[in-house]
Amino acid sequence: MKAILICPDQRSEVASLSEHMPLSNVPILGKPLLEYWIEHLVQRHVREVLILATDRPEQVRALVGSGCRWGIEVVVLPEIRELTIAEARRRYADASNANDPGLVALIDYLPHLPEFPLFTSYADWMAVLETELPRAAAAPRIGVREIKPGVWVGLRAHLSPGAELHAPCWIGEDVFVGNKAVIGPMTILEQGAFVERGAAIAHSVIGPDTFVGEETELQNSIAFGDTLINWKLNSAVKIADTFLLSSLHPGRSAFRPVGLPSRATAFVALVLTAPFALIFILSARFHKVRAFRPLLGVRPRASGPLPVVGDTLIYYELANTRSWFRRWPQLWNIVRGQFAWVGNRPLKPSQAARLTNEFERLWLTSRLGLICLADTESGCDVRNEEARAHASYYAAHANWVLDWKIFLRAVFLFAFGISVSRAREACAHCIQLSDRLKEVLK
């Protein structure tokens, strides 16, 4: 028996849920959504599962591994966009039992609650948790115990004697609840949450490794790190005061933030150059070919050890030109803050996997850029050892002076239509002429 699971891409209706992890990995009562589905398939005697992931497939792969802990084989494949069930069936016809509709699924609901969508709004997300809580508590789980009617506690949870617990509530593994804290009713504290003394939480969900400060009061809320969501109003806000709400394990950003001036400049450049881009787009339409080519790129992981490949993103280039102008759509990535003007170019997951040593993998520790050092020195080709060396050098020595040197040199090459190889040949020729002139003067 084989099955295909399609992981949901990011959903604008519940965007804050996917800030730190893909929606397939978001925990529901101590267990990621994807695990519910794998366990469901195991009960149906499925032996092989193909997982199609668009949003951060590396995190999905890190969660499920090879599937050995369930006694099955699991393969995670990245996709450019979220496929429909019909598209997945056609593309991977040999990887599923096509006659069984239950073995190809878009996992945007719990397998036993298909009538309850998870990602249409925060209120719907909360409604699913309320519905699932009694069932999850009744299901056999290692270490979960009911300390009083309607109050379930996981392994290694510390509850201060003075804390008040009102049913129903779920307290996950490694949770700390301080003295005089009031938890419930209808409250879920996910794994590693830390609630200080005097805090009051009701009709709310506290995400994994989230800190709730002393005397903080939360009602009708979903808190993930420093993000606070009101599920009734379907709104979200960032809490700047880390003593009120924050993540216990904030990731070290691998990117220097892209400033507002850079983003505004990119927007102006995008608008001013749009007429030239329109020429290529119309030419593509005339020749009946696609104008934009989607690409899947790897960007640095926000935290973790250096050799670990991180998240992925989708970006575009003009398909019918090989000039520098093919990167014109990526000005929009700068406007969105995903790219900087100068950085390292994104790699495909397969290309990133070929970075074999720690020095080469420095490529993945720098922010992504429209222009890279290798563009002005050797051509940005991952197969080129010189290009890999330039990328690693930039990651280790990046600063605003180097950025300006790269940018101005790239503008010069672009303005005069000179390729890197021709520029290097011209420089070598000038050096030769200079040497000859010196000999003549002697």
Side-chain angles (χ1 to χ4, degrees):
M1 294 279 284
K2 300 178 181 179
I4 297 176
L5 297 180
I6 306 168
C7 294
D9 198 358
Q10 296 186 22
R11 299 281 198 270
S12 58
E13 296 84 356
V14 290
S16 296
L17 290 180
S18 59
E19 283 185 351
H20 304 291
M21 64 189 75
L23 291 173
S24 60
N25 291 24
V26 174
I28 299 175
L29 295 162
K31 190 160 55 177
L33 170 62
L34 188 53
E35 288 192 14
Y36 282 92
W37 276 93
I38 293 177
E39 291 174 0
H40 167 72
L41 294 176
V42 169
Q43 291 176 359
R44 296 196 58 183
H45 307 291
V46 170
R47 306 305 301 169
E48 299 179 26
V49 179
L50 181 64
I51 299 176
L52 308 180
T54 302
D55 184 20
R56 290 162 281 189
E58 299 300 327
Q59 290 192 25
V60 176
R61 188 176 292 113
L63 174 66
V64 300
S66 63
C68 59
R69 59 187 166 120
W70 294 284
I72 63 174
E73 181 181 349
V74 175
V75 177
V76 179
L77 293 180
E79 288 287 344
I80 293 293
R81 61 177 178 84
E82 181 186 302
L83 300 182
T84 65
I85 292 177
E87 289 172 332
R89 285 184 184 278
R90 288 194 299 269
R91 185 172 298 184
Y92 301 99
D94 298 333
S96 67
N97 296 78
N99 295 327
D100 192 334
L103 296 182
V104 181
L106 172 61
I107 58 170
D108 54 0
Y109 59 92
L110 287 171
H112 52 280
L113 295 173
E115 68 278 14
F116 288 92
L118 278 167
F119 306 124
T120 51
S121 69
Y122 296 114
D124 286 343
W125 168 266
M126 193 66 185
V128 172
L129 296 186
E130 291 182 12
T131 304
E132 178 64 12
L133 178 55
R135 180 188 178 278
R141 284 204 198 182
I142 296 175
V144 176
R145 64 194 190 279
E146 189 174 11
I147 61 173
K148 68 179 188 178
V151 178
W152 295 273
V153 179
L155 287 170
R156 299 177 300 278
H158 174 83
L159 307 176
S160 299
E164 297 181 27
L165 305 177
H166 301 286
C169 68
W170 172 281
I171 298 174
E173 296 181 4
D174 301 304
V175 170
F176 177 89
V177 178
N179 190 38
K180 296 184 180 180
V182 180
I183 308 299
M186 194 48 231
T187 296
I188 298 169
L189 307 182
E190 293 287 3
Q191 180 177 358
F194 192 104
V195 181
E196 280 205 325
R197 69 185 307 274
I201 306 172
H203 302 282
S204 300
V205 177
I206 306 302
D209 300 317
T210 296
F211 170 82
V212 180
E214 185 175 347
E215 304 294 340
T216 300
E217 182 177 346
L218 297 179
Q219 294 276 347
N220 305 320
S221 299
I222 303 171
F224 273 68
D226 61 351
T227 302
L228 183 63
I229 304 162
N230 185 306
W231 57 264
K232 278 196 170 182
L233 300 178
N234 213 48
S235 61
V237 66
K238 287 285 187 180
I239 303 301
D241 191 341
T242 57
F243 291 99
L244 293 179
L245 191 71
S246 63
S247 173
L248 291 171
H249 303 294
R252 175 182 60 84
S253 175
F255 306 99
R256 287 177 289 155
V258 181
L260 183 60
S262 295
R263 297 168 73 167
T265 304
F267 180 78
V268 172
L270 188 72
V271 173
L272 293 178
T273 54
F276 300 99
L278 185 61
I279 296 174
F280 291 102
I281 296 171
L282 294 176
S283 174
R285 291 291 180 87
F286 179 78
H287 292 94
K288 296 182 179 180
V289 297
R290 60 183 180 182
F292 297 96
R293 180 186 296 114
L295 299 171
L296 185 68
V298 173
R299 55 184 177 184
R301 185 173 176 171
S303 61
L306 175 62
V308 177
V309 175
D311 306 334
T312 56
L313 83 164
I314 298 171
Y315 63 104
Y316 294 85
E317 66 179 18
L318 291 174
N320 58 335
T321 177
R322 294 186 178 182
S323 68
W324 287 52
F325 203 71
R326 71 184 184 277
R327 297 181 188 176
W328 176 81
Q330 295 159 36
L331 288 169
W332 181 245
N333 294 98
I334 301 179
V335 176
R336 297 181 61 186
Q338 296 174 327
F339 282 26
W341 279 98
V342 177
N344 276 338
R345 296 294 295 162
L347 300 176
K348 298 177 183 177
S350 58
Q351 293 173 331
R354 292 201 294 269
L355 302 178
T356 56
N357 57 59
E358 189 167 323
F359 176 72
E360 288 184 351
R361 292 181 77 85
L362 283 173
W363 187 316
L364 301 172
T365 66
S366 172
R367 64 183 182 180
L368 305 182
L370 180 70
I371 304 165
C372 68
L373 176 61
D375 280 329
T376 63
E377 297 293 338
S378 62
C380 200
D381 184 355
V382 69
R383 295 167 296 182
N384 186 323
E385 291 185 4
E386 188 177 357
R388 294 201 295 269
H390 285 309
S392 298
Y393 174 87
Y394 175 81
H397 298 89
N399 57 69
W400 69 271
V401 176
L402 180 59
D403 286 353
W404 270 107
K405 288 181 179 179
I406 296 170
F407 179 79
L408 293 176
R409 187 170 183 182
V411 169
F412 174 81
L413 295 175
F414 174 76
F416 290 94
I418 303 174
S419 66
V420 173
S421 58
R422 288 181 58 190
R424 296 178 72 180
E425 290 174 1
C427 289
H429 185 62
C430 289
I431 292 173
Q432 291 177 359
L433 290 177
S434 177
D435 292 340
R436 290 179 183 177
L437 182 60
K438 289 179 181 178
E439 291 177 0
V440 170
L441 292 175
K442 289 180 180 179

